[in-house]
């Protein structure tokens, strides 16, 4: 089944404790992206990747890192999480930029 | 730097009625897409319309695009309770107006379809 998977789905952590949210797609898509969704603000793009080893900042990249060493994986790293990073995070992939995006189920992160 | 803005923010209708949602954006685009999200879940792609298209249909969905007014509308005909969800427009801005955002979502319209 074609899908985008994210892990973990739920995470509660403390300020400053490094964490990684994994994202994987099995559709051989070139384009992958991370978004955060906050009430009243819609989805905001954090980082995106046009292809392996090619990443770029989105609208709200501060406090986040990404890497794209393989086509299928695009992990989101929070090296020192803070409470303002409490949010619902979505990973998405697309055959190429500008095409329809396939979204993962979301990761609800709480930083205390 | 938000590109897309949906209107209304919330819409409540009876089953069987039509629902219309609008999206406005600020810069030139390559294409515009509409997505649906059931509460707290991942977004699902509904329809993509390219900048050289004016209207597109998919089942009960009809999307229009007016690039001169930088606006789009999504019409859902004969709505059902299962259409209750949030609907988002998303744009793919053209350079040089791309503010580093490869893909920009609006804040969404919450649609409630009452049985």
């Amino acid at each position: 089944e074609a899908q985008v998977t994210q892990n973990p789905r739920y995470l509660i952590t403390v300020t400053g404790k490094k964490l990684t949210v994994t994202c994987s797609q099995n559709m051989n898509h070139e384009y992958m992206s991370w978004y955060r969704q906050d009430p009243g603000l819609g989805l905001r793009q954090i980082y995106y990747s046009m292809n392996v080893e090619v990443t770029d900042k989105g609208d709200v990249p501060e406090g986040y890192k990404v890497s794209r060493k393989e086509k299928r994986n695009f992990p989101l790293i929070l090296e020192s999480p803070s409470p303002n990073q409490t949010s619902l995070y979505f990973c998405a992939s697309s055959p190429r930029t500008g095409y329809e995006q396939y979204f993962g189920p979301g990761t609800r992160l709480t930083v205390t | 730097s938000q590109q897309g803005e949906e209107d209304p923010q919330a819409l409540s209708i009876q089953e069987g009625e039509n629902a219309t949602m609008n999206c406005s954006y600020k810069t030139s685009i390559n294409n515009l897409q509409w997505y649906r999200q059931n509460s707290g879940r991942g977004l699902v792609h509904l329809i993509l319309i390219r900048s050289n298209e004016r209207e597109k249909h998919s089942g009960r969905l009809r999307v229009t695009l007016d690039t001169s007014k930088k606006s789009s509308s999504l019409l859902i005909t004969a709505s059902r309770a299962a259409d209750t969800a949030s609907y988002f427009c998303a744009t793919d801005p053209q350079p040089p107006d791309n503010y580093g955002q490869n893909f920009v979502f609006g804040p969404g319209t919450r649609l409630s379809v009452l049985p």
Side-chain angles (χ1 to χ4, degrees):
Chain A
E1 181 191 350
Q3 60 183 347
V4 178
T5 56
Q6 293 179 229
N7 281 294
R9 294 289 313 281
Y10 302 90
L11 180 60
I12 300 173
T13 190
V14 296
T15 299
K17 186 175 181 184
K18 181 179 178 179
L19 66 93
T20 299
V21 184
T22 63
C23 173
S24 183
Q25 51 94 4
N26 62 0
M27 295 167 279
N28 202 36
H29 285 170
E30 290 185 357
Y31 180 87
M32 297 186 75
S33 184
W34 276 102
Y35 299 89
R36 60 177 289 174
Q37 185 175 31
D38 302 288
L41 296 176
L43 280 86
R44 293 179 292 167
Q45 192 171 39
I46 303 170
Y47 269 95
Y48 62 91
S49 170
M50 303 282 231
N51 213 326
V52 176
E53 301 291 3
V54 180
T55 63
D56 210 345
K57 296 177 182 178
D59 196 25
V60 288
E62 294 79 20
Y64 304 95
K65 283 176 58 176
V66 293
S67 68
R68 188 94 182 271
K69 293 186 170 59
E70 310 163 275
K71 202 170 191 178
R72 63 182 294 127
N73 296 324
F74 191 45
L76 179 70
I77 303 155
L78 285 73
E79 297 220 320
S80 185
S82 62
N84 65 11
Q85 293 179 298
T86 292
S87 187
L88 179 57
Y89 290 87
F90 289 102
C91 179
S93 73
S94 175
R96 287 171 48 193
T97 180
Y99 283 65
E100 67 174 276
Q101 293 190 67
Y102 295 76
F103 279 79
T107 294
R108 191 168 290 280
L109 172 66
T110 301
V111 184
T112 61
Chain B
S1 60
Q2 187 130 336
Q3 166 82 317
E5 296 279 343
E6 288 94 343
D7 136 66
Q9 290 187 345
L11 179 62
S12 188
I13 60 173
Q14 296 289 328
E15 227 172 5
E17 294 180 339
N18 295 341
T20 299
M21 289 159 268
N22 302 298
C23 169
S24 60
Y25 57 91
K26 298 186 179 116
T27 67
S28 298
I29 59 172
N30 295 308
N31 65 63
L32 185 144
Q33 304 185 33
W34 284 91
Y35 288 81
R36 186 179 96 173
Q37 182 184 34
N38 289 91
S39 180
R41 304 181 77 170
L43 279 73
V44 175
H45 182 263
L46 295 176
I47 200 162
L48 180 154
I49 185 164
R50 302 213 178 270
S51 59
N52 61 353
E53 297 175 309
R54 292 295 166 258
E55 188 170 312
K56 211 159 181 184
H57 296 255
S58 177
R60 292 184 296 113
L61 306 180
R62 173 178 167 253
V63 168
T64 62
L65 179 65
D66 187 334
T67 52
S68 67
K69 294 181 180 176
K70 292 186 168 61
S71 68
S72 172
S73 67
L74 170 67
L75 168 68
I76 304 174
T77 59
S79 63
R80 306 165 182 166
D83 294 328
T84 294
S86 291
Y87 292 82
F88 296 88
C89 71
T91 55
D92 176 15
Q94 287 183 350
D97 297 314
N98 189 325
Y99 302 101
Q101 301 164 12
N102 190 255
F103 218 89
V104 185
F105 282 80
T109 292
R110 282 194 318 279
L111 173 65
S112 298
V113 181
L114 307 173

